[in-house]
Amino acid sequence: MTVQLDNARIGFIGTGVMGSSMAKHLQQGGYKLSIYTRTKAKAQELLDLGMEWKASPGELAAECDVVITMVGYPSDVRALYLDEGGVIDHARPGTYLINMTTSSPLLAKQIYESARLKGLHALDAPVSGGDVGARNGTLSIMVGGDDQAFNTVLPIFEQMGNRIVLQGGPGAGQHTKMVNQIAIASNMVGVCEALVYAAEAGLDLKKVLSSIETGAAGSWSLSNLAPRIIEGDFEPGFYVKHFIKDMEIALQVADDMKIELPGLSLARQLYARIAEAGLTEKGTHALYLAWDKNEGAQGGEGGRYHP
């Protein structure tokens, strides 16, 4: 059984930094939205836009044609989908379940199988692009699951992202996101080290950035996050706490596959240090503060230390 999605009601669970913008794009695309988040007050802006509040994930799932989750941790994903009284228990046959939280590939496969037994269609579809991509509707969406389910919900994905790829079967989306996070982790170390070096050399960091960001050193992190570092703005587009979670998933999966990831291991160690300093609610570019106690690359003398 499948659902016609032209006039679908979409349930969105998790309306944080990224989820709120994603839900807005769906509403702007003409979809009716029901939402659930643990603290109703945090979703007030979306309720003011006409989205409907549901008191529990189960109530939301029972009334929606598509359920999208964008929450924090694998434990949250597991509870939402697999616990008694959760999304899978309450969703009607034919409902599409899309987990856009970065989680483990193994959990994605477990959700897929549990959903299939209930006549539901599950996709794992983590994203990249941070708060900027969510606001602009330009996320990269990496999808794992069946061709039919992917093709059916593709118009929904297109409201939130501009690079949408079915990577393979269940879990393939999460594996691809791990590849993304592995690449970002070592790159972020490089971006921070480069700015530390430039600052110590007495260079104008904005001029340095203008010279290197379009050359071989260029990267999304260099263009989008280095300016925030220079300005001393460490507010999150993507939280340190969530990036640490992602790195730990990747390291565990790599260990299961018996491969070594020394760059990722180093990044994880450095992020552990800023976590210990109480910076888990900052953005991933706050890694710079592992070298600089002052808030900003142009900070005063005497604040820098080396990990």
Side-chain angles (χ1 to χ4, degrees):
M1 178 180 177
T2 59
V3 175
Q4 296 299 316
L5 299 181
D6 291 343
N7 297 303
R9 174 166 291 277
I10 298 175
F12 207 108
I13 300 175
T15 54
V17 172
M18 295 177 65
S20 179
S21 294
M22 294 160 72
K24 289 177 185 177
H25 282 298
L26 292 170
Q27 186 183 59
Q28 291 163 5
Y31 294 102
K32 301 181 289 292
L33 268 289
S34 295
I35 58 174
Y36 169 80
T37 190
R38 287 173 178 168
T39 305
K40 183 178 180 180
K42 291 183 178 180
Q44 191 59 51
E45 179 187 4
L46 300 181
L47 299 177
D48 291 343
L49 292 174
M51 299 184 196
E52 293 187 10
W53 172 259
K54 299 300 176 183
S56 71
E59 180 183 335
L60 177 145
E63 299 179 10
C64 291
D65 306 303
V66 178
V67 177
I68 297 174
T69 50
M70 188 66 172
V71 292
Y73 297 92
S75 58
D76 300 319
V77 174
R78 180 179 294 278
L80 280 171
Y81 284 98
L82 300 180
D83 278 6
E84 185 176 351
V87 168
I88 289 178
D89 276 357
H90 284 275
R92 298 169 296 187
T95 301
Y96 290 82
L97 311 178
I98 307 172
N99 177 37
M100 304 188 80
T101 313
T102 300
S103 186
S104 79
L106 178 59
L107 179 56
K109 292 178 181 179
Q110 292 171 341
I111 291 170
Y112 174 87
E113 289 299 330
S114 295
R116 185 180 61 83
L117 293 174
K118 295 289 186 73
L120 311 171
H121 310 281
L123 296 165
D124 50 288
V127 303
S128 179
D131 61 330
V132 174
R135 284 197 305 271
N136 295 335
T138 56
L139 292 169
S140 174
I141 305 176
M142 311 156 218
V143 189
D146 296 336
D147 288 358
Q148 177 272 323
F150 173 77
N151 290 328
T152 300
V153 302
L154 182 57
I156 291 174
F157 286 140
E158 288 173 339
Q159 295 299 319
M160 299 179 285
N162 62 2
R163 184 174 295 273
I164 304 147
V165 180
L166 179 62
Q167 298 290 341
Q174 297 294 356
H175 274 303
T176 304
K177 182 60 184 290
M178 291 301 106
V179 173
N180 185 80
Q181 301 304 73
I182 291 165
I184 287 174
S186 294
N187 180 242
M188 186 61 69
V189 174
V191 167
C192 292
E193 286 185 335
L195 291 179
V196 167
Y197 180 96
E200 290 292 341
L203 299 175
D204 182 312
L205 298 191
K206 292 182 180 179
K207 289 183 179 180
V208 170
L209 186 59
S210 69
S211 292
I212 70 172
E213 67 177 334
T214 59
S219 69
W220 189 94
S221 294
L222 191 68
S223 294
N224 290 277
L225 298 180
R228 297 191 193 186
I229 294 172
I230 293 170
E231 296 300 326
D233 175 9
F234 295 102
E235 291 310 299
F238 187 62
Y239 288 105
V240 165
K241 62 184 180 181
H242 292 156
F243 195 40
I244 288 174
K245 173 262 295 183
D246 294 353
M247 288 188 285
E248 289 174 346
I249 293 171
L251 287 167
Q252 181 59 60
V253 174
D255 186 61
D256 293 341
M257 295 190 294
K258 303 189 185 309
I259 58 174
E260 292 186 38
L261 301 176
L264 182 62
S265 296
L266 173 59
R268 175 65 183 87
Q269 292 172 23
L270 294 174
Y271 272 99
R273 297 190 182 201
I274 65 169
E276 290 168 2
L279 299 174
T280 58
E281 299 291 325
K282 297 297 184 181
T284 53
H285 54 298
L287 183 65
Y288 181 85
L289 299 178
W291 286 267
D292 195 323
K293 291 180 181 177
N294 296 302
E295 296 215 346
Q298 305 282 28
E301 295 296 326
R304 197 178 310 286
Y305 66 97
H306 294 282

